[in-house]
Amino acid sequence: MKIIKKISTMQSISDELRKNNKIIGFVPTMGALHKAHIAIIRKARKENDIVVVSIFVNPLQFGPKEDYKKYPRPINQDLDICKKENVDFVFYPSVKEMYPYGKSFTYVEVKKFRGILCDKFRPGHFCGVSTVVAKLFNIVKPHKAYFGEKDYQQLKIILRMVKDLNFDIKIIPVPTVREDDGLAYSSRNLYLSLKEREVAGNIYKSLIYCKNLILNRKFKSIKKCIEEAKNYLHKMLSNVEHSIQYFEVYDDNLDVVNNNIDKIPKNTKLRIFAAVYIGTTRLIDNLGFKI
Ligand code: PAF
């Protein structure tokens, strides 16, 4: 496994690999790798000749009051994982290498899937994500790139960007990987205290609860199902400090669905989304199903 820190080196390596007809699979990450990353790397390993993982905590996608400084950076552990998973190249640039002027003068702004869910509460976040992912695509030059469905809005934005800017890259979504109690793997789970961790699996349980209310037509309206699921979640989290930032239902394309469940066409794919603070840790999750 080779660790590459320079953009020009990574680009030359990818050019050479492509010349030799090697299929490059790319897994962009911010490090602090966990089981969900490993599942993504393994999928990429199976489906490509060469696997490149990037590890870069991208300052552009953090708000001024967010956790950029304290974001975990266990680089030695991450490199060990990559080695064990037979990754061929780890692209591990410095902030200076990626943003030599301290900031970017050019941004990639995807104007769809905005004003809702995480975008409503993290202004500028997705612009930071699409900008760095576009840069990484131009650096790693992959044939395929892998993104987890836990960050569903991010996935939709990247799919849109690839289409609109004609990147010749196939985006492969990877289903969310969960701990035994249902908590979606996230680098931010490391912030949870023992007591918080004990109840965090209830976020996923509340999504399932909401899904069942909808599927069993327990109430006529989506809003009422959401309200009940939020009550359930508040109850399950009652012994820790918490707040629900959003709990919403959209269709699979992030379009608004009819509030009257009976008016939603059969076989529509719905997705329930939640962002929840447990203590000071913000966790997101989502659950897709057909009505
Ligand atoms: O999902 C992430 O880890 C990040 O948003 C990404 C895609 C690596 C861009 O920094």
Side-chain angles (χ1 to χ4, degrees):
M1 184 180 87
K2 285 210 167 96
I3 300 158
I4 312 296
K5 293 191 171 185
K6 290 261 161 275
I7 291 172
S8 55
T9 311
M10 189 70 245
Q11 284 174 320
S12 314
I13 288 171
S14 292
D15 284 344
E16 196 56 31
L17 289 166
R18 278 179 162 262
K19 240 190 258 164
N20 289 309
N21 294 321
K22 298 291 185 203
I23 300 296
I24 304 171
F26 176 42
V27 182
T29 82
M30 298 206 298
L33 304 181
H34 46 65
K35 283 199 178 153
H37 291 116
I38 293 174
I40 298 177
I41 292 170
R42 286 187 182 164
K43 185 166 169 60
R45 180 71 282 170
K46 258 195 217 145
E47 296 176 358
N48 300 277
D49 300 318
I50 299 292
V51 175
V52 181
V53 171
S54 65
I55 298 177
F56 180 63
V57 183
N58 171 36
L60 227 59
Q61 68 188 73
F62 289 80
K65 291 195 180 127
E66 291 184 352
D67 55 343
Y68 173 66
K69 282 216 172 103
K70 82 162 192 183
Y71 198 85
R73 292 165 171 85
I75 185 63
N76 290 331
Q77 197 181 300
D78 287 347
L79 293 175
D80 283 349
I81 290 173
C82 289
K83 212 168 185 177
K84 212 165 139 228
E85 295 303 324
N86 291 317
V87 169
D88 298 290
F89 298 95
V90 174
F91 179 57
Y92 175 51
S94 64
V95 174
K96 190 129 206 284
E97 179 73 3
M98 289 295 274
Y99 302 113
Y101 310 105
K103 60 171 187 171
S104 193
F105 294 104
T106 305
Y107 292 88
V108 177
E109 181 88 77
V110 178
K111 298 223 167 169
K112 204 167 156 50
F113 314 118
R114 303 296 296 273
I116 56 165
L117 303 173
C118 290
D119 186 54
K120 199 161 146 189
F121 299 96
R122 302 187 71 188
H125 167 67
F126 286 118
C127 181
V129 170
S130 42
T131 301
V132 81
V133 171
K135 280 167 75 71
L136 289 167
F137 283 175
N138 284 329
I139 295 164
V140 176
K141 309 185 190 196
H143 295 86
K144 299 177 209 157
Y146 295 76
F147 290 85
E149 283 185 350
K150 183 180 81 71
D151 298 301
Y152 193 80
Q153 195 172 11
Q154 165 175 287
L155 168 67
K156 296 299 281 186
I157 285 171
I158 298 301
L159 281 162
R160 193 68 254 166
M161 176 186 85
V162 163
K163 222 171 187 169
D164 286 353
L165 297 185
N166 307 100
F167 280 100
D168 190 10
I169 297 172
K170 190 167 165 49
I171 302 299
I172 318 269
V174 185
T176 303
V177 182
R178 301 179 179 284
E179 301 224 35
D180 288 345
D181 65 348
L183 178 65
Y185 276 100
S186 159
S187 306
R188 290 188 169 100
N189 293 354
L190 291 172
Y191 300 152
L192 297 170
S193 71
L194 225 62
K195 193 172 158 201
E196 290 167 346
R197 175 62 196 86
E198 265 170 25
V199 293
N202 286 302
I203 298 173
Y204 180 55
K205 290 190 184 103
S206 72
L207 299 179
I208 297 176
Y209 187 81
C210 187
K211 170 184 136 178
N212 289 335
L213 290 178
I214 295 171
L215 287 180
N216 297 330
R217 306 289 196 276
K218 188 89 180 127
F219 304 101
K220 270 200 176 328
S221 91
I222 293 278
K223 276 197 185 117
K224 182 68 184 154
C225 295
I226 290 174
E227 200 185 301
E228 285 298 309
K230 281 168 86 171
N231 289 340
Y232 168 86
L233 184 55
H234 280 308
K235 207 165 100 199
M236 302 307 274
L237 297 180
S238 58
N239 68 341
V240 294
E241 237 179 75
H242 71 276
S243 64
I244 300 175
Q245 190 176 57
Y246 62 72
F247 201 111
E248 294 181 38
V249 177
Y250 287 90
D251 74 9
D252 224 32
N253 203 31
L254 298 189
D255 285 325
V256 175
V257 288
N258 199 312
N259 184 45
N260 183 338
I261 298 174
D262 289 334
K263 291 204 170 142
I264 301 173
K266 213 171 171 299
N267 287 324
T268 301
K269 286 183 184 162
L270 298 184
R271 207 165 266 269
I272 311 170
F273 296 85
V276 180
Y277 274 98
I278 298 192
T280 53
T281 306
R282 182 178 180 275
L283 300 172
I284 60 169
D285 202 351
N286 68 81
L287 176 65
F289 60 101
K290 248 190 206 170
I291 195 161

